[in-house]
Amino acid sequence: MAKEINTIGVLTSGGDAPGMNAAIRAVVREAIVKGKKVKGIKRGYAGLLQEEIIDMEAKNVSDIIQRGGTILQTARCLEFTTAEGQEKGAAVCRKHGIDGIIVIGGDGSFRGAQKLAALGINTVGIPGTIDLDISCTEYTIGFDTAVNTAMEAIDKVRDTSTSHERCSIIEVMGRGAGYIALWCGIANGAEDILLPERYDYDEQKIVNHIIENRKRGKQHHIIINAEGIGHSSSMAKRIEAATGVETRATILGHMQRGGSPTCKDRVYASTMGALAVDLLCEGKSNRVVGYRHGDFTDYDIDEALSMDKNISEYQVEISRNLSR
Ligand code: ADP
Ligand code: F6P
């Protein structure tokens, strides 16, 4: 028989992402409507182990849907990766009457949720990361805001790059994944896009491309470089020396993780937050919420973590044609 949940805990874990607040708000309000108590766990699994646990009422999540970051704050917690840490976490849940937990984060955070589920605490994960690198879902909270933030910043760099007839290498986040780089590369009309999924790029080809484009009268050359490749500053020096074209590197950094979430991030995060609560209310556990083929859905965490996902080869192919 499905376990009845009375008190739902919610935490954010790993890197923050714009839209996490919208998800927290949805969890709290949907749970209250369904007659459940809600407890906010601060600083991810670290706060769980430290018992940083607060009661959440509907009013505690007022005025946050439009705010970046996470009101619960977030952390990375080494102790929780150990069996002792996980048992302590489950014991803290039991002590505070938390029988269901919603974990908003990435794959690492879901591994933690999987361990809690095995220890008898019902869990549901919500994909929250700007990197879009969670296989079971086509959407992750924060990606839309992050790519829009990066796109606007790259437009600005492009203005000055054109005025000075320079080459600009702009490094975007994404850890080992190239989704932010690929989307910005297409949205900003970049001449070259360097993706970790295609790490064997040839710098001489980039040099030739810059020289060809100069001959054709192009006034700038924008290279979007994914964080997973990195080394933008040294790359800029080498490219300038090889082409004679002044080259600058800009690393966008953590600005990509902040700011008010876009409409899409607010709506999708709200929907996923409510869905996670509904799954717990149905007695489900060890699930992760996703968005696939035009609909919100859920998967077993074990299955979700074993899925593969890759960048679109077609988009990679056409991106070059479109920036001629
Ligand atoms: P993300 O959730 O964005 O992938 P991390 O990989 O940093 O971010 O994971 C966030 C936190 O989740 C870690 O600091 C740790 O507390 C927990 N975690 C990660 N991997 C595991 C694991 N294998 N088992 C238990 N907890 C884990
Ligand atoms: O996972 C989100 C992310 O911003 C990655 O794109 C990046 O590699 C990492 O987190 C940066 O982490 P930190 O905030 O610890 O520097």
Side-chain angles (χ1 to χ4, degrees):
M1 207 176 75
K3 179 168 121 186
E4 198 196 334
I5 299 295
N6 296 307
T7 302
I8 294 176
V10 55
L11 62 81
T12 47
S13 170
D16 67 346
M20 281 185 167
N21 281 329
I24 295 167
R25 172 180 174 272
V27 166
V28 171
R29 296 203 167 156
E30 178 74 1
I32 289 170
V33 167
K34 296 281 159 75
K36 311 295 174 195
K37 283 195 190 137
V38 192
K39 300 212 179 210
I41 299 155
K42 303 206 83 178
R43 297 186 182 81
Y45 293 118
L48 177 66
L49 298 184
Q50 299 296 316
E51 297 187 52
E52 294 182 60
I53 298 172
I54 51 170
D55 291 330
M56 304 283 283
E57 309 287 345
K59 65 175 184 316
N60 297 127
V61 290
S62 295
D63 202 27
I64 66 164
I65 195 167
Q66 78 283 15
R67 290 205 218 143
T70 157
I71 59 159
L72 290 176
Q73 298 177 284
T74 185
R76 297 192 171 100
C77 173
L78 203 56
E79 190 185 349
F80 199 74
T81 59
T82 66
E84 300 78 53
Q86 292 148 17
E87 274 154 26
K88 184 174 167 192
V92 170
C93 288
R94 279 190 280 273
K95 178 176 167 190
H96 289 262
I98 296 171
D99 34 25
I101 277 210
I102 294 175
V103 172
I104 307 169
D107 277 350
S109 305
F110 296 161
R111 287 202 173 86
Q114 196 180 31
K115 305 287 166 33
L116 282 178
L119 292 165
I121 309 297
N122 284 14
T123 60
V124 178
I126 299 181
T129 167
I130 64 164
D131 302 337
L132 196 68
D133 60 348
I134 299 179
S135 301
C136 69
T137 181
E138 291 157 15
Y139 166 83
T140 61
I141 295 174
F143 175 75
D144 192 57
T145 306
V147 279
N148 277 289
T149 301
M151 180 188 74
E152 285 172 20
I154 295 163
D155 281 344
K156 292 183 172 89
V157 176
R158 182 177 171 142
D159 286 345
T160 168
S161 199
T162 307
S163 307
H164 287 263
E165 297 176 80
R166 280 175 176 159
C167 168
S168 288
I169 302 176
I170 303 160
E171 188 172 311
V172 296
M173 275 187 167
R175 205 176 289 195
Y179 297 101
I180 298 178
L182 179 59
W183 277 59
C184 287
I186 294 173
N188 293 97
E191 277 68 28
D192 281 294
I193 309 172
L194 310 183
L195 304 168
E197 291 85 350
R198 293 200 158 187
Y199 65 94
D200 56 343
Y201 70 95
D202 178 352
E203 213 163 281
Q204 187 57 46
K205 272 196 189 156
I206 299 173
V207 166
N208 296 344
H209 195 199
I210 294 169
I211 295 168
E212 268 165 43
N213 277 353
R214 273 297 131 117
K215 285 190 192 143
R216 290 172 47 230
K218 274 226 174 187
Q219 291 174 317
H220 62 247
H221 194 101
I222 303 291
I223 302 171
I224 304 294
N225 186 26
E227 176 190 15
I229 289 185
H231 304 289
S232 297
S233 300
S234 51
M235 196 186 288
K237 288 199 184 92
R238 286 195 302 274
I239 286 180
E240 180 166 312
T243 60
V245 174
E246 257 195 314
T247 303
R248 296 284 188 270
T250 305
I251 298 168
L252 295 184
H254 287 82
M255 67 173 297
Q256 295 161 93
R257 283 231 304 257
S260 180
T262 58
C263 180
K264 179 170 179 173
D265 272 326
R266 296 182 198 194
V267 173
Y268 280 44
S270 298
T271 311
M272 287 184 164
L275 178 56
V277 169
D278 293 344
L279 292 168
L280 283 179
C281 291
E282 286 165 23
K284 298 212 172 126
S285 181
N286 204 45
R287 307 297 294 178
V288 56
V289 169
Y291 182 85
R292 256 196 160 182
H293 309 309
D295 214 351
F296 295 92
T297 181
D298 62 286
Y299 299 91
D300 184 85
I301 295 187
D302 307 8
E303 184 196 351
L305 289 174
S306 68
M307 287 180 180
D308 282 332
K309 174 171 168 175
N310 227 322
I311 50 166
S312 156
E313 289 300 324
Y314 182 69
Q315 285 182 316
V316 174
E317 288 313 319
I318 57 144
S319 63
R320 204 147 203 242
N321 303 341
L322 303 187
S323 69
R324 279 188 70 77

